Amino acid sequence: MAGCVQSRRLWQLERVEEDEGGSLGKFVEQLIIPVALRPSSGERLEIAMTETRQVLHRDLGETSVWAYSGGYPGATIEAQRNQPLRVRWSNRLPARHRLHVDHCLHGPHAYPDKREHPRPRTVVHLHGGHVPPESDGYPEATLLPGESSIYEYPNTQNGATLWYHDHALGVTRLNVYMGLAGFYLIRDESEFALNLPRGPFEVPLVIQDRSFAADGSLDYPKSWEEEFFGAAILVNGRVWPYLDVRPRKYRFRILNGSNSRTYTLAFDSGQSFYQIGSDGGFLPEPVGVRQITLTTGERADVIVDFSKRTGELHLVNSAPAPFPGKAGEGVIREVMQFRVRGTWGDDSALPSRLTAVPRLRESAAVKFRQFNLDMVDESPKCTDPGFRWLINGLGWDDITEYPELGSTEVWSFSNLSPDVHPIHLHLVQFQILDRQKLQPDPDRPGFFLPLIMLATRPDPPEPNEAGWKDTFRSMPGEVTRIIAVFANFAGKYPYHCHILEHEDHEMMRQFEVVKPNR
Ligand code: C2O
Ligand code: CU
Ligand code: CU
């Protein structure tokens, strides 16, 4: 099996080099900040999904993308904590999908006509949102062109960097690749007292990799592949952009919105920066870092001080693809450029304390569940290469987790495979308890047994992972334990690997929160 994995990867790397995109000029496009929607209390937003043409790089001409509210990436929704928001999501996409839909997967098989370009099915999920099931974007509750649905977001959770994106069963990777993703910030009044950089000095950055065909269109494989790595890096929908900045502090809300690629981000100036927040809100205090690793779906809220700089510096990446892979393999180094210009005063602060993060205690847990993440061999059928990535060997329709409403549970994920799996649970913000090493599998080189190494002790999470999370990196050969409270809403929610190619086939399952029997 492992040999088979290797040969597929070589093929993918060759493909990356051949693709248009890798040779595009760097730092010629200016970073675009997506439009912000700031609904007033009680207002209902109308957001349509449409196809539009946009210049992603001057040498590509116009590229057809899918937009929320007119642009790729979608408009940034800025919600206020404790102010519920309603959104009418409408699918106004054209009658045919732009990309080839692989009917072999679970989901698209529901398309009755099995054409390669059937009608685009979409459904919007608020990633990281504490949302009732009917507004969560259930992967089977899809909209066809001409259809719409009204979702309600309570916004009762902590201020945080959330994002919304498509989640349609078996075609999520295609819909997100076309552009269906945007930021959703929850702002908490108490945040203003922290005096963090804001206004033009607070910038959301979504990092995504894409490949282009010779005519400038987005290029994506015709049939399912286990991972997708693009030839060019886009930030906020522009290929390798630059941003003019002042010599002062900035707040960047960084999202890895890629299909498969992990990034380990640093500045080529070698300067350190501070992480102040993770997926679900602020960390207790700023954590000084020289680099941060973000797997797909993860966010980092950071403060960068450019005050001691002049001239150019770059945000660079060192993460191999696939991750963790071999050092240097599949890496695209450059991400974007910052040009420090002019002079500027700075009265913003880097507070020493940010918020209280009460620790969830294992002693409160009523259930301990165990999950194995592994590649499972199957007999090849249609375009299926003969294996799938699965959670406990089960698929989307096999529900085995029924947490009781309001209860605390500990979930342990053992990654038996050589690749990272970014695991995401809907509904909850959880905490990482610890990580521990697993034993290598003597019969499958590169793979692991679900057995903990003797005489090793659990490692606590890294300081920048010690806050609220909704997505964590499950590293090869490790068991990661997380703890969550399944509160407020009963119903079915997905949990899955956030490598969208894995999620689509079919590293995605669901849990159902149930009311306790009394
Ligand atoms: Cu960001 Cu279930 O997804
Ligand atoms: Cu989610
Ligand atoms: Cu995965």
Side-chain angles (χ1 to χ4, degrees):
M1 192 76 255
C4 179
V5 175
Q6 278 311 332
S7 57
R8 274 196 312 277
R9 276 181 190 157
L10 283 177
W11 183 82
Q12 264 182 343
L13 288 177
E14 279 161 28
R15 177 188 170 85
V16 163
E17 277 151 28
E18 281 166 23
D19 265 330
E20 293 286 325
S23 57
L24 291 167
K26 298 191 172 82
F27 320 127
V28 295
E29 291 298 325
Q30 192 171 358
L31 183 87
I32 301 292
I33 317 276
V35 187
L37 303 175
R38 299 190 181 88
S40 49
S41 170
E43 186 185 335
R44 188 180 81 194
L45 290 178
E46 303 282 335
I47 299 184
M49 301 153 225
T50 54
E51 182 168 295
T52 182
R53 291 174 68 74
Q54 216 168 276
V55 175
L56 310 184
H57 187 283
R58 60 187 58 174
D59 297 336
L60 290 172
E62 289 189 326
T63 300
S64 291
V65 293
W66 286 1
Y68 287 116
S69 218
Y72 155 59
T76 299
I77 300 172
E78 288 193 21
Q80 297 294 325
R81 187 176 184 190
N82 294 323
Q83 279 186 19
L85 171 64
R86 294 201 306 153
V87 181
R88 188 183 27 208
W89 300 102
S90 322
N91 180 340
R92 301 218 192 101
L93 291 165
R96 287 154 49 93
H97 208 293
R98 272 269 159 195
L99 301 174
H100 290 262
V101 171
D102 188 336
H103 298 280
C104 196
L105 313 191
H106 184 186
H109 70 267
Y111 288 104
D113 50 5
K114 299 232 171 185
R115 282 173 301 163
E116 275 187 326
H117 297 278
R119 290 188 292 166
R121 276 179 191 278
T122 64
V123 62
V124 185
H125 167 58
L126 176 58
H127 180 128
H130 188 60
V131 167
E134 20 347 313
S135 295
D136 187 58
Y138 189 68
E140 295 183 70
T142 51
L143 303 171
L144 285 168
E147 296 178 341
S148 68
S149 51
I150 296 173
Y151 279 7
E152 174 138 8
Y153 303 108
N155 299 321
T156 49
Q157 64 199 94
N158 294 332
T161 310
L162 309 185
W163 64 301
Y164 63 100
H165 63 77
D166 193 77
H167 218 302
L169 194 69
V171 290
T172 295
R173 71 195 186 292
L174 307 177
N175 294 353
V176 172
Y177 192 77
M178 283 304 297
L180 293 181
F183 281 98
Y184 186 111
L185 309 179
I186 298 183
R187 295 204 179 268
D188 182 343
E189 292 284 315
S190 68
E191 185 181 319
F192 292 108
L194 294 174
N195 190 27
L196 297 165
R198 56 184 202 241
F201 310 114
E202 181 192 10
V203 182
L205 301 173
V206 50
I207 306 175
Q208 298 174 307
D209 56 341
R210 297 286 184 269
S211 291
F212 298 95
D215 65 355
S217 61
L218 286 167
D219 193 21
Y220 189 87
K222 283 197 176 178
S223 50
W224 181 82
E225 288 175 16
E226 63 161 329
E227 272 157 351
F228 171 84
F229 301 112
I233 304 292
L234 283 71
V235 184
N236 294 355
R238 292 296 180 283
V239 178
W240 285 302
Y242 71 88
L243 177 66
D244 287 325
V245 294
R246 302 288 183 170
R248 55 156 291 151
K249 288 192 283 303
Y250 276 74
R251 178 180 184 186
F252 295 111
R253 305 203 187 221
I254 308 175
L255 157 66
N256 179 353
S258 303
N259 280 31
S260 289
R261 189 182 286 275
T262 297
Y263 302 91
T264 296
L265 300 169
F267 289 93
D268 64 350
S269 57
Q271 79 180 81
S272 52
F273 51 105
Y274 290 90
Q275 184 166 350
I276 58 170
S278 52
D279 305 333
F282 286 121
L283 294 167
E285 55 204 42
V287 177
V289 288
R290 279 195 192 278
Q291 60 178 43
I292 5 177
T293 294
L294 291 179
T295 58
T296 52
E298 286 187 290
R299 286 89 69 207
D301 195 348
V302 305
I303 302 285
V304 182
D305 190 350
F306 296 115
S307 68
K308 301 202 174 54
R309 298 274 144 203
T310 45
E312 274 106 57
L313 67 158
H314 300 87
L315 185 64
V316 291
N317 161 48
S318 60
F323 189 77
K326 284 205 204 79
E329 207 172 80
V331 179
I332 298 181
R333 183 163 189 271
E334 276 85 12
V335 176
M336 69 175 287
Q337 182 182 62
F338 296 93
R339 301 175 178 175
V340 189
R341 297 275 189 270
T343 55
W344 204 264
D346 185 358
D347 54 10
S348 69
L350 179 66
S352 54
R353 298 277 317 152
L354 295 159
T355 193
V357 177
R359 301 307 306 171
L360 300 182
R361 287 183 321 156
E362 215 180 311
S363 56
V366 296
K367 272 269 183 207
F368 292 75
R369 303 186 194 268
Q370 164 63 39
F371 303 88
N372 290 336
L373 309 176
D374 204 356
M375 181 184 268
V376 176
D377 284 306
E378 294 173 324
S379 48
K381 56 169 170 37
C382 45
T383 57
D384 191 322
F387 68 91
R388 284 190 296 171
W389 290 101
L390 294 174
I391 302 172
N392 277 352
L394 298 170
W396 173 245
D397 287 325
D398 311 314
I399 307 185
T400 52
E401 289 76 41
Y402 296 92
E404 275 195 4
L405 187 63
S407 71
T408 303
E409 299 201 353
V410 172
W411 290 21
S412 309
F413 290 87
S414 298
N415 182 352
L416 311 185
S417 80
D419 289 354
V420 73
H421 298 284
I423 298 297
H424 170 49
L425 274 64
H426 288 213
L427 177 68
V428 296
Q429 289 288 338
F430 52 77
Q431 290 174 359
I432 299 176
L433 284 175
D434 49 35
R435 291 190 162 92
Q436 213 163 352
K437 297 279 179 238
L438 299 171
Q439 291 180 25
D441 183 343
D443 298 327
R444 294 192 302 166
F447 285 74
F448 300 85
L449 296 170
L451 299 172
I452 289 172
M453 291 262 247
L454 294 173
T456 58
R457 297 223 264 137
D459 292 320
E462 302 286 325
N464 63 344
E465 295 184 304
W468 295 107
K469 297 283 293 166
D470 54 51
T471 309
F472 71 95
R473 54 173 191 272
S474 175
M475 293 297 285
E478 284 184 5
V479 49
T480 311
R481 298 195 313 147
I482 62 168
I483 184 165
V485 184
F486 293 83
N488 299 322
F489 306 113
K492 289 181 195 165
Y493 291 93
Y495 68 99
H496 57 91
C497 175
H498 219 287
I499 289 179
L500 302 183
E501 284 67 24
H502 293 186
E503 168 180 342
D504 273 351
H505 191 47
E506 152 167 314
M507 210 171 203
M508 176 164 75
R509 300 188 54 206
Q510 41 191 329
F511 62 85
E512 182 171 356
V513 179
V514 294
K515 301 215 171 95
N517 292 327
R518 47 182 88 225

